[in-house]
Amino acid sequence: MVLSKEQQTKMWAMLNQTRGQIGLTAYKDYIFGILFYKYLSEKATQWLNGVLRGETWGNVFSKDSSRALDYMKKNLGYCIRPNDFFEDWKKAIDEDRFNIGMMSDTFGHFNQQIALEAKSDFEGIFDGMRFDSADLGANAQARASVMISMIELLSTPEFDLSKGEDTVSDIYEYLVKEFSTVLASDMGQYYTPKEITDVMARILTSGREHKETFSIYDPTVGSGSLLLKTASYMKNLNKRGMIKYFGQEKDATPYRLSRMNLMIHGVEYNDININHADTLESDWPDGVVDGKDSPRMFDAVMANPPYSAHWNNKDREDDPRWREYGVAPKTKADYAFLLHCLYHLEDSGRMAIILPHGVLFRGSAEGKIRKALLEKHQIETIIGFPGKLFLNTSIPVCVLILRKNRMESDVLFVDASKNFEKLKNQNRLRLKDIDKIVDTVVNRKEIEKFSYIASLDEIFENDYNLNIPRYVDTFEEEEPIDIVALSQEMVELNQEISNTEQEFLSMLNQLAITDDSRDIIEATKRIFGEGYDKR
């Protein structure tokens, strides 16, 4: 299911009416948290309907609560006690007995009943909701009123999740995008435009769609969209355990959202490995074990890291991620992220990373890193995109595609900066633009004024500068000017102007002389000169 524009508009309008005076920044944590809990409730209800065979969950729980809880945890990774379901909140509202404590108790029970193996997937996932927060209101009654409005909103047909996981994921993705659009400075940094995500995913999976097992990793995971889009092109997407999702995120909000997003898209908790930490400060996954470096490697690595971020680069020369290349400047961590991704890439894998164009030509430490990557033949393709594709920046970005063990040394340059649809405040890649980029990269095509394959010798002659215009000439020559024809046109135009002036002055001479007409004639003389006889 794809939400219609009418559905989207109605959902967002209803949401804004519901939130009252709460700021969107605070509101988003509650709306995403409650929507996700509704999803978990309905998933648990569906599972219970299949295993209880007519018995009620309340009766089973009352007979042996520990055994009942353990059985649900074993199958779902979490457990919901009787009277703690989303529908129980709605029933309490309808019967006028709802209070804010019901929600506090529910999430307290939930956190106590997470399966050990699912701890990292569910732990802290609802921490963005504080039911004693002044953001919700000055007292318990005011806070309960806000929660009631949210629960009732999510109980409307527009937020009906019973039609399947596609519906749930569509609603979730729509809300992430809408909040990111409105709160660009707050959420935009971890929302990657779906068009660039699609380009990266199709390139990373090209030729490997039928691979039985596939591991993917995003060290700046954000909302998880890059992981999900990459996995969507694999033929074994719906086979449990076939695709393993890894990611790391420093900020708490996207760390929660990414896990919600993956599970809402039907990814089983035991296929998810998302860590909450600073990727550059804390290498993960695995890293050094018993004094021996044993990093986990992945079939595909993708990232949209913060651009030119500051980082602590002191005493990093011996870090195995950067040891062979050099350390990125402390004011520009772009290559630190790139080398981290490359370090965790399988020998047969491929990676894609979104970066600002400066990484292609800046010198000093970055120039040395770029030279090392090129001499190891690890940069395969560079794609330049149009500006204004992102929510939180208008700058154009590029995507670098790398592999660890290439025999070829050439680099494919693609200038896709001219191919897009212009919207009111943003630009957007059309499907035909995406298809052209992917086809060019996958088949390594040279297309005039669009792509070019440069040899390492050419790049060496450019002092390892990878600025795309050095290799892809997009200059459009103007048609040559016919000087003779232009001169003749000018002569004819001047003659036409002269004839028109004479006609006008002749008409002016025929005017009767009055004070007003005298003023007109004097003004005309100043414009056209004295070249006529006044009666």
Side-chain angles (χ1 to χ4, degrees), residues 1-16 153 158-159 169-175 177-178 191 194 428:
M1 172 196 172
V2 176
L3 297 175
S4 69
K5 188 68 177 175
E6 183 181 355
Q7 286 174 295
Q8 293 176 353
T9 302
K10 187 174 181 180
M11 285 170 64
W12 189 248
M14 292 168 64
L15 184 146
N16 276 295
L153 168 69
E158 285 72 23
F159 291 91
S169 58
D170 282 349
I171 291 172
Y172 188 89
E173 286 182 4
Y174 167 70
L175 291 179
K177 183 178 185 301
E178 205 65 25
Y191 182 80
K194 63 179 182 179
R428 183 176 67 189

Side-chain angles (χ1 to χ4, degrees), residues 2-44:
V2 176
L3 297 175
S4 69
K5 188 68 177 175
E6 183 181 355
Q7 286 174 295
Q8 293 176 353
T9 302
K10 187 174 181 180
M11 285 170 64
W12 189 248
M14 292 168 64
L15 184 146
N16 276 295
Q17 290 169 5
T18 302
R19 71 182 178 89
Q21 300 303 310
I22 304 174
L24 274 176
T25 299
Y27 186 71
K28 72 177 187 299
D29 289 324
Y30 294 95
I31 203 70
F32 280 118
I34 297 173
L35 177 64
F36 182 59
Y37 191 74
K38 180 184 180 184
Y39 165 75
L40 295 179
S41 291
E42 295 192 6
K43 181 178 180 180

Side-chain angles (χ1 to χ4, degrees), residues 382-385 412-420 433 436-437 440 445-453 468-479:
I382 298 169
I383 309 167
F385 288 90
L412 171 65
F413 292 85
V414 178
D415 187 346
S417 63
K418 307 291 192 298
N419 302 80
F420 60 89
D433 302 322
K436 183 178 181 180
I437 295 168
T440 301
K445 291 182 177 179
E446 283 192 333
I447 300 173
E448 187 177 2
K449 300 189 183 304
F450 185 74
S451 63
Y452 178 75
I453 299 175
I468 296 173
R470 286 181 177 246
Y471 303 95
V472 182
D473 180 12
T474 59
F475 178 74
E476 297 284 352
E477 290 188 6
E478 295 182 2
E479 293 185 9

Side-chain angles (χ1 to χ4, degrees), residues 116 123 125 156 274 379 388 463 467 469 505:
L116 182 62
E123 194 168 38
I125 204 164
T156 60
I274 307 294
I379 299 179
K388 294 186 178 181
D463 197 24
N467 200 19
L505 294 173

Side-chain angles (χ1 to χ4, degrees), residues 480-493:
I481 298 173
D482 187 335
I483 300 298
V484 174
L486 180 62
S487 298
Q488 181 61 36
E489 185 179 342
M490 291 175 67
V491 169
E492 293 173 356
L493 184 60

